[in-house]
Amino acid sequence: MGRKKRVNTRGKNGEDIAVKYLETHGYRILDRNYTTEIGEVDIFATDEHTLIAVEVKSRLSLDYGTPAEAVGHEKIKKISQVTAQYIKRFRLFGVQVRYDIIEVYLENKTVNHIVNAFDSYLNY
């Protein structure tokens, strides 16, 4: 019998809250959990002018720092590379790209949307 994949319910709940937040603020969700051999982008969204790669970080407390502090150099590199693959796959050449982080505080279900949280060093 094969092993079942463990579901990260905290992460999924945080992503669900983030999607709801984005939709209520006028964003259109293009993809969730877009995965390649390099890694994953939690959400691809658009505001009709910009492709937005969103990293969602959920926390129950600040015991280990803010959620955004968990997005380090290696994670930024992977998000940038996956975004480049997304652009190539869907032929979105010339589109403006932005990288956001959404912090979700699960205890009170609040959201902190960090617009343009980091820059990519990749050229599209």
Side-chain angles (χ1 to χ4, degrees):
M1 215 186 239
R3 263 181 85 166
K4 288 185 178 181
K5 185 178 178 185
R6 186 173 172 210
V7 177
N8 179 350
T9 55
R10 184 184 310 158
K12 173 143 179 22
N13 290 342
E15 287 175 14
D16 290 343
I17 292 167
V19 163
K20 193 174 291 186
Y21 167 88
L22 289 167
E23 289 175 337
T24 61
H25 286 82
Y27 294 89
R28 187 167 54 93
I29 305 304
L30 302 173
D31 268 301
R32 285 183 71 171
N33 306 114
Y34 183 81
T35 306
T36 71
E37 69 281 350
I38 293 171
E40 177 186 80
V41 169
D42 294 329
I43 302 168
F44 277 111
T46 183
D47 63 2
E48 301 307 326
H49 304 289
T50 306
L51 174 67
I52 305 156
V54 181
E55 176 66 11
V56 179
K57 288 295 181 191
S58 305
R59 294 289 182 269
L60 290 170
S61 73
L62 294 176
D63 290 348
Y64 300 102
T66 67
E69 290 173 335
V71 184
H73 177 74
E74 283 303 311
K75 185 67 174 176
I76 290 170
K77 182 178 173 183
K78 284 183 180 186
I79 292 168
S80 298
Q81 291 171 329
V82 172
T83 300
Q85 290 180 325
Y86 189 87
I87 289 167
K88 288 176 188 169
R89 177 176 179 203
F90 294 103
R91 307 185 61 74
L92 301 173
F93 305 112
V95 70
Q96 284 187 304
V97 178
R98 189 175 87 205
Y99 298 93
D100 293 2
I101 296 174
I102 292 185
E103 299 178 317
V104 177
Y105 297 91
L106 294 169
E107 193 165 300
N108 58 6
K109 295 187 178 171
T110 58
V111 170
N112 180 31
H113 183 186
I114 304 169
V115 175
N116 207 20
F118 57 88
D119 292 320
S120 171
Y121 58 88
L122 298 176
N123 292 321
Y124 304 107

